[in-house]
Amino acid sequence: MKKTWKSTRSSNLNRKVQFIVEQVVLTHLMALSTNDAANYQVKAVAGKKHLKI
């Protein structure tokens, strides 16, 4: 987490790319945590991870 989500942002272009990647990852974690086809344990871990972010 420290080296990715909480790291300092570098140049302008890299900052934008990092922001987009973080948004996509967060979107997928949130979707997984509410997916009816996912195992309950998977949903719990995904939900816990997106709350930490």
Side-chain angles (χ1 to χ4, degrees):
M1 294 290 288
K2 289 180 183 179
K3 291 187 178 187
T4 55
W5 292 95
K6 299 181 191 256
S7 67
T8 56
R9 307 297 190 229
S10 54
S11 71
N12 194 26
L13 179 60
N14 287 341
R15 183 180 313 129
K16 290 178 182 179
V17 170
Q18 187 174 7
F19 178 76
I20 291 169
V21 170
E22 289 172 354
Q23 290 299 311
V24 170
V25 170
L26 183 58
T27 299
H28 284 277
L29 276 174
M30 292 173 65
L32 181 60
S33 69
T34 60
N35 186 334
D36 291 334
N39 178 295
Y40 286 108
Q41 186 175 7
V42 171
K43 290 171 30 172
V45 170
K48 185 176 181 180
K49 293 294 181 188
H50 90 261
L51 288 176
K52 280 187 172 182
I53 296 173

